[in-house]
């Protein structure tokens, strides 16, 4: 799994690690599935035996196979506007979740 992290996101992650006295590791997970695909999240967690890991700089990012169902690469960014926070997106979505839902029509 490829993980790309912007400089600002990396700085904010390192700041959170220091603030919350966490390990240099961060889980990427599927938060929700909608017509437009998966919504991803980040959490401090422990690496499990079946997790896929990718080290970027000093930080190890990891995910379970569920993430790979919806993406084979993740981009982590941090934005200040319009609402401050992390943006976690798929580099290359591998599966569309849209099928018979009428919500997008």
């Amino acid at each position: 799994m490829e993980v790309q992290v912007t400089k600002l996101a990396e700085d904010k992650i390192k700041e959170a690690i220091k603030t919350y006295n966490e390990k240099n590791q961060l889980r990427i997970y599927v938060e929700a599935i909608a017509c437009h695909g998966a919504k991803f999240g980040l959490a401090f967690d422990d690496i499990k035996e079946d997790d896929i890991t990718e080290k970027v700089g000093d930080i190890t990012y990891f995910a379970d196979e569920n993430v790979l169902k919806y993406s084979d690469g993740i981009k982590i960014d941090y934005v200040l506007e319009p609402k401050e926070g992390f943006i976690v997106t798929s580099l290359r979505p591998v599966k569309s979740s849209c099928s018979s839902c009428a919500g997008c029509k």
Side-chain angles (χ1 to χ4, degrees):
M1 173 181 69
E2 179 183 359
V3 178
Q4 295 179 2
V5 185
T6 66
K7 176 69 173 130
L8 182 55
E10 180 182 20
D11 291 345
K12 291 292 186 177
I13 290 167
K14 287 179 179 179
E15 185 179 303
I17 288 168
K18 185 175 180 180
T19 299
Y20 299 107
N21 196 29
E22 291 288 343
K23 299 175 189 172
N24 283 9
Q25 58 190 42
L26 203 60
R27 177 173 295 284
I28 301 165
Y29 64 94
V30 175
E31 186 174 311
I33 306 295
C35 291
H36 61 277
K39 179 178 179 184
F40 300 97
L42 301 171
F44 291 116
D45 196 7
D46 291 322
I47 299 171
K48 297 184 178 45
E49 185 177 316
D50 293 339
D51 286 334
I52 297 103
T53 62
E54 178 73 25
K55 191 162 185 165
V56 179
D58 298 339
I59 302 166
T60 300
Y61 298 89
F62 57 99
D64 62 23
E65 65 182 36
N66 194 39
V67 170
L68 297 180
K69 290 179 186 175
Y70 300 100
S71 177
D72 67 350
I74 296 291
K75 180 178 181 184
I76 302 171
D77 196 3
Y78 193 90
V79 296
L80 301 172
E81 294 180 357
K83 188 176 177 181
E84 187 173 350
F86 290 98
I87 305 290
V88 184
T89 56
S90 176
L91 290 174
R92 294 170 297 279
V94 294
K95 181 180 180 184
S96 172
S97 60
C98 197
S99 58
S100 61
C101 160
C104 296
K105 296 178 182 180

